[in-house]
Amino acid sequence: MPIPIEDYALIGDAHSAALVGRNGSIDWLCFPRFDSPACFAALLGGAEYGRWLIAPQAKNCSVRRKYRDGTLILETEFSSDEGTVRILDFMPLSDVRQDVVRLVQGLSGQVAMRMELAIRFDYGATMPWVRRSEDSLLAGTGPYMLELRSSVPVRGQHMRTVALFKICQNEQVAFSLNCRPSYEAAPPALDQEQALAATEEGWRQWSGQCSYRGRWRNEVIRSLITLKALIYKPTGGIIAAPTTSLPERMDGARNWDYRYCWLRDATFTLNAMLVAGYRDEAIAWREWLQRAVGGPQDAQVLYSVTGERKLDERVLEWLPGYAGAGPVRIGNAASRQLQLDVYGEIMDTLHLARAVGLEPDAQAWQIQNTLLRFLESNWSQPDEGIWEVRGPRRHFTHSKMMAWVAFDRAVKDVEEFGLEGPVERWRHVRDTIHAQVCARGFDARRNAFVQSYDSDHLDASLLLMPQVGFLPPSDPRVRGTIEAIERDLVVDGLVLRYSTAAHVDALPPGESTFLPCSFWLADSLVALGRREEGEALFERLLALRNDVGLLSEEYDPQARHMLGNFPQALTHMALINTACLLSISAARAEQTYQRGERPAAASQIPELHKRY
């Protein structure tokens, strides 16, 4: 059996990322970028599909882990009868090279250690050609070469590279793994100590810019660092998660590749970044958006980190999947879906960017006008919705609500920032959508807005209704929706997205609780004036984080394990949003609800800040 998902930690360099287990094994790494084929894929099948293990030879070790404050540098301490050893794992922040560095430090006693490196390119399918070159080991096949440097001797054993060594107090053994194109000359040997110091300084300088000063500052900073690690620095694209096919339930089918840039997830993330005062990331993402979306009138749901649109989905038959829960998919067929809500998310985020004073960009407004023309002609169409159902298209209420957001923010951009556009026509479309949603998306019998027109199923995405300003929390229909979700979609205090027994998504029924929706419920409780209950739920969600502060997409409250791709940007964004909401006064939150702004953004919008 593999180790639990929550036993992994993340390291990254803003180009790619790796998952490091509590057992000292790097079980997932895609080089040179997030969506490249993995060279370590043990996460989805076992050690034979590639991993990099460094751990004591003793079996029964106690383990403690933490990140260095304000950084993505992981410290893992193993203690046994022999002594204590620390492993520092990090990926240096560099624009000219890519490395994984592992420093083994003796803290006490004399500890027998084992290093085992199994490189398997193409998600475990391809065995590399390994050879020695002076003081390093080279492993390559096709376009990329990995180079291992070690301060202790290594040897081949059973198609792996191993090293057995002992480390005493105050000693250090260093390993580094460099990735480069196979046709390029080797870079100079990395100065690991210098790289460690520079990486620590870089992360602390970035995390120190956080403008959030509320009660949960440490938790917010850890989530911000996680989000930052999921941004592809060369382009500004933001991935949803660094993994593929971690199951949403352990008997398979609901396994997806999240190593791409969903417009929706990215806009949620940018909202969180802007709330915490990070403007450069917003500017970079706006530029990425303009490059990716520019041209076609219809925005694609997701893109690659560099903006490619073609992301065909296929199954890797040779990989059994995490704990045997296949299939393992790469690519994502959702890229071909129609999801109308993304237009609202784009418009909402670019409106917030203007509100917090980002440098104006005329091209962004031109693209928004183009997207609005498409949406004006297509908002009345059925779509696959926020949850990317693979069943028939429906008139999802959340999708229509977010189409309303798109036109509402366009009207506000004209009114508040003097931009030009057919504002009267946009007002008319906005009002038409609002009336239709209230007429067809509300079930009077249930006293709740429902998942799709003329259905009676609930959907937790509608918890966002007061947050985006569609209706105020004081509206009895909003209150009724929140209370209905509490009754019918809550399991052990956590929230399901919707009932999979309704067969809306054309997949086998059964799914665990969805952590972002659980944060949204906390927000909704605050909106209803049930602040103590909202805070209690928030504290419970914080307690679900693993020992280094990371969260996945879903959580099984019965088995008490995380599920789904990990770590999940949408979950960490929701954490930041709820912390900010709980850190402003109830009066300020209520006033921003009335204005139709996201309440957590209130302290970052200058005119709101002056008013309150």
Side-chain angles (χ1 to χ4, degrees):
M1 291 294 293
I3 67 173
I5 291 171
E6 60 266 23
D7 279 357
Y8 285 101
L10 178 77
I11 59 173
D13 62 359
H15 294 78
S16 184
L19 292 188
V20 187
R22 282 177 61 88
N23 59 356
S25 181
I26 297 180
D27 287 347
W28 183 254
L29 173 62
C30 299
F31 258 160
R33 68 185 213 188
F34 294 113
D35 57 351
S36 296
C39 57
F40 301 148
L43 179 70
L44 299 177
E48 63 268 33
Y49 297 98
R51 69 166 181 173
W52 188 7
L53 172 72
I54 303 178
Q57 295 182 48
K59 296 297 183 184
N60 297 317
C61 294
S62 63
V63 182
R64 293 192 308 167
R65 300 187 304 175
K66 66 175 183 177
Y67 285 115
R68 288 193 173 180
D69 289 344
T71 79
L72 205 65
I73 298 169
L74 179 67
E75 297 186 352
T76 305
E77 288 188 8
F78 295 92
S79 297
S80 68
D81 292 340
E82 294 180 331
T84 301
V85 65
R86 176 195 296 134
I87 300 177
L88 295 181
D89 287 308
F90 68 99
M91 296 174 70
L93 300 175
S94 172
D95 294 328
V96 297
R97 60 183 295 158
Q98 286 187 268
D99 300 270
V100 178
V101 178
R102 313 196 72 183
L103 304 179
V104 186
Q105 300 173 335
L107 300 182
S108 67
Q110 184 182 65
V111 183
M113 302 290 295
R114 176 179 179 85
M115 188 283 293
E116 179 185 300
L117 174 65
I119 297 170
R120 304 290 185 266
F121 289 103
D122 300 322
Y123 304 99
T126 305
M127 186 83 68
W129 179 261
V130 180
R131 60 186 174 88
R132 293 187 181 274
S133 175
E134 297 179 355
D135 57 349
S136 67
L137 202 70
L138 301 176
T141 181
Y144 292 106
M145 178 77 69
L146 297 184
E147 181 176 18
L148 174 71
R149 292 183 180 271
S150 167
S151 60
V152 296
V154 301
R155 59 186 174 86
Q157 183 183 77
H158 305 307
M159 309 304 289
R160 292 168 168 80
T161 299
V162 300
L164 301 177
F165 59 96
K166 291 185 177 181
I167 188 162
C168 299
Q169 185 174 351
N170 298 325
E171 290 182 343
Q172 176 170 287
V173 172
F175 300 90
S176 62
L177 190 67
N178 172 260
C179 176
R180 70 174 188 275
S182 57
Y183 49 84
E184 290 186 359
L190 184 71
D191 185 326
Q192 291 114 340
E193 291 295 332
Q194 186 179 63
L196 174 63
T199 301
E200 185 167 1
E201 180 182 1
W203 277 113
R204 285 187 172 160
Q205 184 179 33
W206 185 86
S207 61
Q209 298 171 27
C210 175
S211 61
Y212 173 79
R213 293 291 185 272
R215 174 176 160 191
W216 297 279
R217 179 172 167 80
N218 289 338
E219 292 83 351
V220 165
I221 288 177
R222 177 49 53 197
S223 286
L224 285 166
I225 290 171
T226 304
L227 295 179
K228 176 66 171 176
L230 301 181
I231 298 175
Y232 186 64
K233 184 179 179 181
T235 65
I238 305 171
I239 63 168
T243 57
T244 179
S245 301
L246 288 179
E248 296 175 7
R249 61 174 289 164
M250 290 309 300
D251 55 1
R254 296 174 181 271
N255 302 344
W256 317 110
D257 192 349
Y258 274 19
R259 299 170 299 153
Y260 304 111
C261 303
W262 270 256
L263 295 187
R264 177 191 309 108
D265 289 22
T267 52
F268 275 121
T269 302
L270 258 296
N271 270 285
M273 287 286 187
L274 285 168
V275 163
Y278 288 96
R279 303 159 69 90
D280 290 347
E281 287 71 21
I283 294 171
W285 179 79
R286 185 176 64 185
E287 293 173 353
W288 172 87
L289 175 72
Q290 291 170 186
R291 293 190 300 269
V293 176
Q297 286 194 347
D298 56 324
Q300 191 162 291
V301 176
L302 63 145
Y303 300 83
S304 78
V305 291
T306 54
E308 292 103 336
R309 298 173 67 92
K310 190 174 176 61
L311 304 173
D312 292 343
E313 182 176 298
R314 64 189 178 97
V315 172
L316 303 183
E317 301 288 356
W318 63 88
L319 272 173
Y322 176 83
V328 173
R329 293 184 173 98
I330 60 170
N332 200 303
S335 61
R336 299 193 298 270
Q337 290 186 347
L338 175 65
Q339 297 175 24
L340 294 170
D341 67 292
V342 300
Y343 295 87
E345 298 294 353
I346 293 170
M347 297 295 291
D348 190 28
T349 297
L350 293 177
H351 170 72
L352 176 60
R354 294 185 181 96
V356 300
L358 253 62
E359 186 77 19
D361 189 312
Q363 186 180 353
W365 183 240
Q366 291 172 4
I367 290 174
Q368 287 178 261
N369 273 265
T370 301
L371 296 179
L372 286 168
R373 283 195 294 272
F374 173 83
L375 186 61
E376 190 172 353
S377 301
N378 290 275
W379 71 265
S380 60
Q381 300 299 314
D383 73 340
E384 279 87 2
I386 183 175
W387 307 130
E388 304 182 343
V389 300
R390 302 212 170 189
R393 289 182 175 179
R394 289 173 169 79
H395 292 283
F396 286 105
T397 305
H398 174 267
S399 295
K400 307 301 186 188
M401 176 184 78
M402 294 308 298
W404 174 89
V405 168
F407 290 102
D408 179 73
R409 301 316 190 250
V411 169
K412 288 179 177 177
D413 284 339
V414 171
E415 293 174 343
E416 297 176 12
F417 304 111
L419 299 174
E420 295 184 0
V423 67
E424 290 302 326
R425 195 171 80 229
W426 289 343
R427 286 194 186 101
H428 174 72
V429 176
R430 179 184 65 177
D431 295 344
T432 300
I433 297 172
H434 198 280
Q436 186 187 95
V437 170
C438 291
R440 297 190 60 191
F442 183 75
D443 184 341
R445 181 182 61 83
R446 297 201 71 167
N447 189 34
F449 284 96
V450 288
Q451 184 177 58
S452 60
Y453 286 177
D454 308 319
S455 78
D456 60 358
H457 302 304
L458 297 173
D459 193 307
S461 65
L462 298 175
L463 292 169
L464 295 171
M465 187 170 282
Q467 286 219 41
V468 300
F470 185 84
L471 286 171
S474 57
D475 190 291
R477 292 167 294 182
V478 171
R479 182 180 298 273
T481 302
I482 296 169
E483 291 173 348
I485 289 170
E486 281 188 279
R487 286 193 306 270
D488 296 348
L489 290 184
V490 170
V491 177
D492 194 22
L494 304 176
V495 183
L496 299 169
R497 294 186 297 173
Y498 53 91
S499 172
T500 58
H503 302 291
V504 171
D505 54 20
L507 293 168
E511 184 181 67
S512 293
T513 60
F514 199 75
L515 292 176
C517 292
S518 301
F519 283 105
W520 298 347
L521 177 58
D523 299 338
S524 298
L525 295 175
V526 174
L528 292 181
R530 296 160 59 186
R531 195 176 186 90
E532 289 185 3
E533 293 176 71
E535 184 172 322
L537 176 54
F538 180 61
E539 291 284 3
R540 184 187 173 192
L541 289 164
L542 290 180
L544 296 181
R545 300 180 308 149
N546 72 359
D547 55 333
V548 290
L550 302 181
L551 287 165
S552 65
E553 182 179 42
E554 299 192 6
Y555 184 79
D556 184 339
Q558 280 73 45
R560 298 186 179 181
H561 285 304
M562 293 186 190
L563 290 170
N565 285 304
F566 175 87
Q568 175 72 15
L570 188 60
T571 309
H572 285 278
M573 175 287 307
L575 184 158
I576 295 166
N577 190 75
T578 304
C580 292
L581 178 59
L582 285 167
S583 297
I584 62 177
S585 69
R588 180 180 295 181
E590 174 62 24
Q591 288 170 311
T592 51
Y593 277 129
Q594 295 295 335
R595 290 186 82 253
E597 304 284 358
R598 293 184 184 266
S603 62
Q604 292 297 315
I605 301 178
E607 61 268 26
L608 293 179
H609 188 65
K610 291 176 184 177
R611 185 174 302 177
Y612 307 139

